[in-house]
Amino acid sequence: MDILKELEEFRRKDIPYSRVLGSMCTVPHPIAIKAHKMFIETNLGDPGIFRGTRELEEKLVKLLGEILHHPNAKGYVCSGGTEANIQAIRSFRNLRRSDKPNIVVPKSAHFSFDKIGDLLCVEVRKAELDEEYRVDPASVESLIDDRTVGIVGIAGTTELGQVDPIEELSKIAIEYGIDLHVDAAFGGLVIPFMDKITKFDFELEGVSSITVDPHKMGMATIPAGGILFRDERYLKALEVMTPYLTSRSQWTLTGTRPGTGVASAYAVLRYLGFEGMGKIVKRCLRMTEIVKEEMEALGFEPVIEPIMNIVCFKTEHAEKIKEELMKRDWIISTISNPKAIRLVIMPHVTEEVISNFISEIKDVLKIIDVRPQ
Ligand code: 0PR
């Protein structure tokens, strides 16, 4: 029991989600926790043993495919958005076998694309954004050449939650005969449940693959990421033979991998259904609106009108505010261009959390004796 006490002590040092407004993760849904426990010993790296878990993974991929307008999408559940992005670009690269390959990503792309450049020896070209921080399709087009193996659009940018003009990127992809990957790690389980839907998924003909992470807005247990491809050809391009295992080959990046994310993500989506997910997403959007109004009343101005449940406020003192809040065990994040504080309004952010946060930030503003701008 001393061991458990020791563990508890470490765990107590962690900050509870009720004081976190700067994370794309959240408290797993209660049914996700139950499902996770049931699958705790599963290993999808050996699907011959975990036959049921493997079958469940296929069902989850189908469910995610249905949400993203392509029930026959092929893919698997991985460790998160980083692995999903790696695998998409790796597949594009392998299919083209170009000498000195490059990809074109928005300047707003998640830093996983810098890892991709390094790992896959692919040049990562960064396209300019417009004044609303969406990628500029003309800039994307100007960076494409005959060594370009794919382009990337983001549906729910990490910093601002902005959605790139995927429809236009899709047209460019078709015109140039290259693949388009959509990083919807965050937005993939937000946009489909919003009232105002922008086209971003397989509905658009030029979209070859999508990253969608249940461990973000899907309220699954970590790790649960998702990579979906339009057809099996893209998975085949990742295939490695596994002669001594129960399966002939595998196309995942990791070998041993948990079934817990599969079970927890599937349980949440089945339990809540489309309607239940919609309610949660809409509540997050309502809470975002409340935070925005409260912050505006304090003199802050949003960088862009929030598109989804992420909102950033311009301030020269972003780092100082973050630091002071951190001293009081509150977590927010910051962005640097423009200087701003960033709030992610996940399902654990209730009205009570918001009012606690606002009174704390009022105190911080007094202490550092600055106006927000
Ligand atoms: N693509 C996008 C658009 C993302 O925002 C992220 C992560 C990824 C890919 C990579 O996903 P994984 O981290 O699952 O590999 N975005 C979050 C961020 O950087 C990750 C995160 C989540 C960071 C929770 C902190 C945190 O508390 O904000």
Side-chain angles (χ1 to χ4, degrees), residues 74 76 78 80-96 103 113 116 120 122 149-153 179-184 202 207-212 226-230 233-235 237-238 251 253:
K74 302 290 177 223
Y76 72 95
C78 58
T82 301
E83 181 179 342
N85 288 340
I86 292 172
Q87 291 288 78
I89 304 303
R90 189 175 148 226
S91 172
F92 294 178
R93 186 203 62 174
N94 289 358
L95 282 170
R96 294 216 160 233
I103 55 169
F113 286 95
I116 286 170
L120 300 178
V122 166
V149 297
I151 59 176
V152 174
D179 288 303
L180 165 61
H181 173 65
V182 176
D183 183 353
F202 288 115
V207 173
S208 303
S209 56
I210 302 180
T211 289
V212 52
I227 177 66
L228 264 59
F229 291 104
R230 186 171 285 278
R233 210 164 42 95
Y234 295 95
L235 281 177
L238 300 170
W251 37 58
L253 186 61

Side-chain angles (χ1 to χ4, degrees), residues 150-196:
I151 59 176
V152 174
I154 312 166
T157 58
T158 306
E159 296 194 336
L160 292 166
Q162 183 55 280
V163 181
D164 286 327
I166 310 291
E167 212 163 340
E168 288 177 56
L169 295 180
S170 164
K171 284 186 196 142
I172 293 175
I174 293 168
E175 191 186 326
Y176 285 83
I178 51 180
D179 288 303
L180 165 61
H181 173 65
V182 176
D183 183 353
F186 188 77
L189 288 174
V190 179
I191 302 168
F193 309 108
M194 287 169 62
D195 284 335
K196 190 173 155 267

Side-chain angles (χ1 to χ4, degrees), residues 19 58 65 71 92 278:
R19 298 175 84 83
E58 273 171 22
F92 294 178

Side-chain angles (χ1 to χ4, degrees), residues 54-64 266 270:
R54 172 70 197 121
E55 228 179 284
L56 189 61
E57 182 178 32
E58 273 171 22
K59 288 197 81 168
L60 175 60
V61 167
K62 189 157 188 298
L63 207 54
L64 291 170
Y266 182 81
R270 281 299 302 252

Side-chain angles (χ1 to χ4, degrees), residues 17 20 22-25 79-83 85 110-113 154 156-158 183-186 211 213 215-216 342:
Y17 270 114
V20 177
S23 168
M24 283 186 170
C25 291
S79 57
T82 301
E83 181 179 342
N85 288 340
H110 183 256
F111 53 75
S112 48
F113 286 95
I154 312 166
T157 58
T158 306
D183 183 353
F186 188 77
T211 289
D213 285 352
H215 70 201
K216 297 188 168 78
R342 167 182 176 263

